[in-house]
Amino acid sequence: MTQALKGVRILDFTHVQSGPTCTQLLAWFGADVIKVERPGVGDITRGQLMDVPNADALYFTMLNHNKRSITLDTKNKTGKEVLERLILTCDVLVENFGPGVLDRMGFTWERIHELNPTMVVASVKGFGPGPYEDCKVYENVAQCTGGSASTTGFRDGPPLVTGAQIGDSGTGLHLALGIVTALFQRTKTGVGQKVTCAMQDGVLNLARVKLRDQQRLAHGPLTEYSQYGEGVPFGDAVPRAGNDSGGGQPGRILKCKGADTDPNAYIYFITQAPVWEPICDIIGEPHWKTDPNYASPKARLPRLNEIFARIERWTMTMTKFEAMEILNKYDIPCGPILSMKELAEDQSLRATGTIVEVDHPKRGKYLSVGNPIKLSASPTEVVRSPLLGEHTDEILADVLKYSADEIAAIKQSGATEPPKKKAATG
């Protein structure tokens, strides 16, 4: 079986998380991703949050599978010549530099397009055109400026960022879609184009239901929000709604057996209208099925705190998994709060390749996420991340077709290796 993107070559100028998320996904689908790194230094995440001495950090290894690494000093004259040759041989260039960095290197869109008119140039930026376009952005900044933080948390508390990396990884996933779309269009036009994803835009896209609610708010209170049932007035912006469901059906996170000692002994429970009757039977309140104060969704709205408190008394009598087993028999929407430890040990996730075990020559075996997108005819094999500059000679010889003498001259120029320290003199 041929991998879906086999034959596509990616010039990877990305670092940290947003860009590497994008290029790793393309590599998982079979693209030849050539990661360009600074000699002797490499991607900064190789050394961030290290847990094993003298080994690349998990931050790096988990974002750079299936890639090849070449070290290249693009400020070096010979290094620039090598880079131009790479541009001529690659299909896509991906970068997430700060604003203007690629231009200052001498590789503007116009210059790249002149060198290789078929190349797709893809960029992650913090903001699109506007007052903040020159600002540097990180994960939490993107969540705050994209609408996620203002709508996350409890209404009597501060805004919160989420543990899911929707700013970095979320934007990287958006960019990957843009790249494959541009490559598909190139099959018809023969010409490359620019693809840009701003982190603010990516977060806002993922927070679209809150933009939906902002518009609904102009026509009256948001009746599915807990504060409506509690008689708390709405302001002029979408409020934080705690753990309310965003889909119009009341939902809460409830304690289960063991919550006093286990911070994740909880279950998410949705009181969906079609299954209200079995909910009443399960929790021991069968009269609620016909009581006019509870029988309809509208009647239940001002009583949601009471209702969920009663359901929680039931969920606290069993573990989250026992509760889920009972509720699933009646198609009652629910889900246990799974810790990272539980997910790491979940054998079903390993069986599907959602979590994989990878062997690294310096850090040994470690767990990583696998490809979340499954293709029936081109399964993903997760290959360990490259050591710094591991494939430099291989890429110079096999991809760029330099001779052995030329490779020696490139190395001698300092284009691919860090400058040698001068010997101390006495």
Side-chain angles (χ1 to χ4, degrees):
M1 292 184 282
T2 302
Q3 289 184 288
L5 294 181
K6 187 175 178 60
V8 174
R9 183 166 287 150
I10 311 290
L11 185 55
D12 184 2
F13 262 106
T14 70
H15 57 286
V16 192
Q17 185 177 166
S18 60
T21 296
C22 168
T23 51
Q24 177 171 258
L25 189 62
L26 300 174
W28 278 340
F29 286 130
D32 178 16
V33 175
I34 298 173
K35 186 176 180 73
V36 181
E37 300 186 79
R38 202 170 80 180
V41 180
D43 189 321
I44 191 173
T45 58
R46 286 184 182 271
Q48 285 188 336
L49 305 175
M50 294 179 69
D51 60 315
V52 176
N54 303 314
D56 290 329
L58 287 167
Y59 199 178
F60 176 85
T61 63
M62 293 176 68
L63 284 160
N64 291 282
H65 294 121
N66 297 59
K67 303 178 185 181
R68 297 196 279 178
S69 171
I70 180 173
T71 50
L72 194 63
D73 181 358
T74 57
K75 294 180 180 179
N76 177 291
K77 180 177 180 294
T78 303
K80 278 196 172 183
E81 293 171 357
V82 173
L83 177 55
E84 288 191 356
R85 198 148 163 173
L86 279 166
I87 289 172
L88 289 170
T89 60
C90 291
D91 299 287
V92 183
L93 185 153
V94 190
E95 60 93 13
N96 64 327
F97 292 125
V101 171
L102 200 61
D103 291 356
R104 292 193 293 272
M105 287 170 55
F107 292 94
T108 62
W109 158 250
E110 290 75 19
R111 176 60 178 149
I112 294 170
H113 195 60
E114 178 187 6
L115 287 168
N116 183 356
T118 68
M119 175 167 266
V120 172
V121 177
S123 304
V124 171
K125 298 301 174 193
F127 297 96
Y132 307 119
E133 61 185 297
D134 293 328
C135 297
K136 186 178 285 189
V137 172
Y138 293 94
E139 171 66 45
N140 288 357
V141 174
Q143 289 194 31
C144 290
T145 59
S148 172
S150 71
T151 55
T152 302
F154 292 91
R155 66 173 181 268
D156 56 352
L160 292 175
V161 295
T162 172
Q165 304 293 282
I166 61 175
D168 277 325
S169 289
T171 305
L173 294 171
H174 282 93
L175 189 68
L177 176 58
I179 289 169
V180 295
T181 302
L183 287 173
F184 178 77
Q185 187 171 15
R186 192 183 71 172
T187 64
K188 300 180 179 180
T189 65
V191 180
Q193 60 183 298
K194 287 196 294 183
V195 180
T196 305
C197 282
M199 293 173 70
Q200 181 188 43
D201 299 357
V203 171
L204 180 56
N205 184 42
L206 297 175
R208 70 183 69 174
V209 297
K210 298 301 182 178
L211 183 60
R212 171 204 69 189
D213 292 348
Q214 181 63 43
Q215 296 171 87
R216 292 172 54 227
L217 190 57
H219 303 285
L222 305 173
T223 57
E224 77 281 10
Y225 280 52
S226 293
Q227 73 179 72
Y228 173 77
E230 295 168 20
V232 177
F234 284 80
D236 60 0
V238 174
R240 293 182 276 285
N243 291 315
D244 287 353
S245 169
Q249 301 289 341
R252 299 277 179 90
I253 291 178
L254 306 177
K255 290 181 180 179
C256 292
K257 189 176 182 179
D260 291 342
T261 56
D262 180 358
N264 295 297
Y266 290 83
I267 191 169
Y268 197 86
F269 193 112
I270 298 176
T271 56
Q272 192 176 27
V275 289
W276 175 244
E277 291 193 3
I279 289 173
C280 295
D281 290 332
I282 288 170
I283 66 173
E285 302 289 351
H287 62 284
W288 279 2
K289 292 185 290 185
T290 54
D291 188 324
N293 291 322
Y294 302 92
S296 69
K298 185 177 180 180
R300 291 193 289 272
L301 279 174
R303 297 173 173 82
L304 288 179
N305 284 342
E306 174 199 348
I307 290 169
F308 279 112
R310 177 63 186 91
I311 297 172
E312 188 172 61
R313 291 206 304 274
W314 176 79
T315 59
M316 289 178 67
T317 65
M318 62 198 75
T319 69
K320 58 191 177 185
F321 299 110
E322 291 169 340
M324 186 178 177
E325 185 176 356
I326 293 171
L327 297 171
N328 279 341
K329 293 177 182 178
Y330 299 93
D331 292 327
I332 297 169
C334 64
I337 307 305
L338 297 179
S339 68
M340 281 297 156
K341 181 177 185 296
E342 288 168 322
L343 290 167
E345 296 170 351
D346 190 318
Q347 294 304 308
S348 66
L349 294 178
R350 297 197 188 198
T352 60
T354 300
I355 290 180
V356 294
E357 187 175 73
V358 184
D359 202 0
H360 190 276
K362 290 192 174 183
R363 68 174 301 116
K365 292 183 178 180
Y366 66 94
L367 291 183
S368 182
V369 295
N371 193 343
I373 304 170
K374 321 297 188 199
L375 300 183
S376 63
S378 52
T380 297
E381 178 188 1
V382 176
V383 180
R384 70 162 175 87
S385 60
L387 303 176
L388 179 60
E390 180 177 353
H391 306 96
T392 298
D393 288 2
E394 176 181 298
I395 292 166
L396 291 174
D398 299 343
V399 176
L400 301 183
K401 309 301 181 187
Y402 284 109
S403 68
D405 289 343
E406 289 172 319
I407 292 174
I410 290 169
K411 289 184 174 181
Q412 184 65 31
S413 75
T416 62
E417 297 180 357
K420 293 182 173 59
K421 294 182 180 179
K422 293 182 180 180
T425 59

